[in-house]
Amino acid sequence: MPAVTVEDTTTLARVPLPAPRTVRRRVRSVTTAPSGFEGEGFPVRRAFAGVDLRALDPFLHMDQMGEVEYAPGEPKGTSWHPHRGFETVTYLLDGTFEHADSHGGGGTISDGDTQWMTAGGGVLHIERPPESLVLSGGLFHGLQLWVNLPRARKWVEPRYQDLRARQSVLLASPDGGALLRVIAGDVGGHRGPGSTYTPMAMVHATVSPGASLDLPWRPDFNALVYVLSGSGAVGIDGAPVHTGQLAVLGPGDTVTVHGTRPGDRHAEARTPDLDVVVLGGLPIREPIAMYGPFVMNTRQEVLDAMTDASAGRLGTLPAARVAHGDVRDQSE
């Protein structure tokens, strides 16, 4: 169960009912995320695997981290590694993670918090579970999203946004059957706390069994729905989806999500609610050159980033921080 919940959704502000001439988006594709490992070996689902970058633009990559119940000694993270040319957004549904970067940003995020790091011209970064969690074990579940920066913003000064769970804007569907947590962007006139260089929206929604959600969505944004847990249907065409699947939607001004009704043969007994992350943004439509932790516009810019990382020009670490892990090779 996500950490951020409310006992009575009827006390929350509501998303508006669809306008009479609303255009509900249809599903263009549904893909299933393959499983893998990241960093020092924590399990992930590669949410965007196999999807054309043009359909994802301005998003680049997303990992669902866990959901996993660690035994004592098992929690893992990453060592120091470089980034340039984009933003990383780490949203933690459950558990605790520590972040730090060479620009002075960092802190501990837990249970509904979001860490938003703009790498810009270059930064070194580390993310790990705290020592107490390593010793005790426990539940860990989150997302890391990569958001591209347009050419004019590739070299901005690095920055760090520490978004607490209580800052997320909580909304309900008109009938109270869905709980929304707006992390960034404007949804039905309600704006989330995240400040973005690229116009976008990010919403975590929990849809009760049998409930429906019609989410107003900017028509100039693309629309992606990723299933964190549970089963249901997406789009006006009711395309079935389940845990670990991504639906890419076509044009329109409303994103529709349905929770599976109790007793339906597609229902997941362990997680009757449908938890999804809805993403959308204004496509940048610029050339993308990616290699490991660098996202630029040309191959030469990526090579330059690799050279700068090797030469130590993407940041320096205090001796106390270096002791916690060497900088990873720039190709990882």
Side-chain angles (χ1 to χ4, degrees):
M1 176 183 293
V4 179
T5 60
V6 297
E7 291 186 4
D8 185 2
T9 57
T10 63
T11 64
L12 301 175
R14 309 300 178 90
V15 294
L17 289 167
R21 295 188 179 184
T22 191
V23 179
R24 291 179 173 84
R25 296 182 182 232
R26 294 185 177 276
V27 172
R28 284 181 166 171
S29 67
V30 175
T31 54
T32 301
S35 298
F37 294 92
E38 185 55 78
E40 297 170 339
F42 57 86
V44 298
R45 285 189 174 100
R46 307 291 192 191
F48 293 166
V51 182
D52 192 318
L53 279 175
R54 290 172 295 184
L56 301 172
D57 188 10
F59 309 111
L60 301 159
H61 171 86
M62 189 167 74
D63 279 341
Q64 180 181 6
M65 305 179 292
E67 179 181 6
V68 59
E69 185 76 39
Y70 282 122
E74 286 187 343
K76 298 176 177 66
T78 71
S79 53
W80 286 100
H81 55 283
H83 289 295
R84 174 180 282 178
F86 65 105
E87 300 182 283
T88 65
V89 181
T90 305
Y91 171 52
L92 209 58
L93 282 79
D94 293 287
T96 305
F97 231 26
E98 293 178 343
H99 290 257
D101 65 54
S102 57
H103 199 67
T108 299
I109 58 173
S110 179
D111 294 347
D113 297 336
T114 301
Q115 180 263 343
W116 198 302
M117 186 186 74
T118 303
V123 73
L124 302 177
H125 183 228
I126 189 171
E127 49 201 346
R128 286 186 168 184
E131 187 63 26
S132 59
L133 182 61
V134 175
L135 293 174
S136 67
L139 179 62
F140 182 80
H141 189 197
L143 286 177
Q144 185 170 97
L145 171 70
W146 290 14
V147 185
N148 199 10
L149 289 169
R151 187 192 304 271
R153 298 288 192 175
K154 291 286 188 190
W155 298 93
V156 296
E157 189 80 3
R159 71 174 182 178
Y160 181 100
Q161 298 178 68
D162 182 22
L163 308 177
R164 299 288 99 182
R166 63 182 179 275
Q167 294 175 266
S168 295
V169 174
L170 302 183
L171 305 173
S173 57
D175 65 358
L179 169 63
L180 286 72
R181 308 154 188 87
V182 183
I183 298 166
D186 185 289
V187 176
H190 302 274
R191 179 168 292 278
S195 174
T196 70
Y197 284 107
T198 304
M200 60 164 286
M202 179 177 182
V203 178
H204 171 199
T206 300
V207 184
S208 300
S212 295
L213 171 64
D214 283 318
L215 196 59
W217 212 246
R218 275 181 51 169
D220 56 345
F221 278 12
N222 62 355
L224 313 170
V225 178
Y226 178 74
V227 182
L228 294 164
S229 63
S231 62
V234 176
I236 190 173
D237 34 358
V241 291
H242 58 74
T243 302
Q245 290 192 313
L246 175 77
V248 178
L249 285 78
D253 54 22
T254 301
V255 173
T256 303
V257 181
H258 305 280
T260 299
R261 294 185 180 279
D264 188 284
R265 63 187 180 90
H266 298 295
E268 294 188 17
R270 190 179 71 88
T271 53
D273 289 339
L274 173 65
D275 269 279
V276 298
V277 169
V278 186
L279 298 168
L282 191 65
I284 296 173
R285 296 193 178 96
E286 292 178 351
I288 296 174
M290 296 178 60
Y291 185 72
F294 309 121
V295 183
M296 306 303 292
N297 295 112
T298 68
R299 180 175 180 273
Q300 185 59 52
E301 289 172 338
V302 171
L303 295 174
D304 291 344
M306 295 170 62
T307 299
D308 289 345
S310 296
R313 290 192 285 268
L314 267 64
T316 57
L317 306 176
R321 289 185 172 181
V322 174
H324 289 284
D326 296 330
V327 177
R328 289 171 60 187
D329 182 84
Q330 66 269 15
S331 65
E332 296 181 357

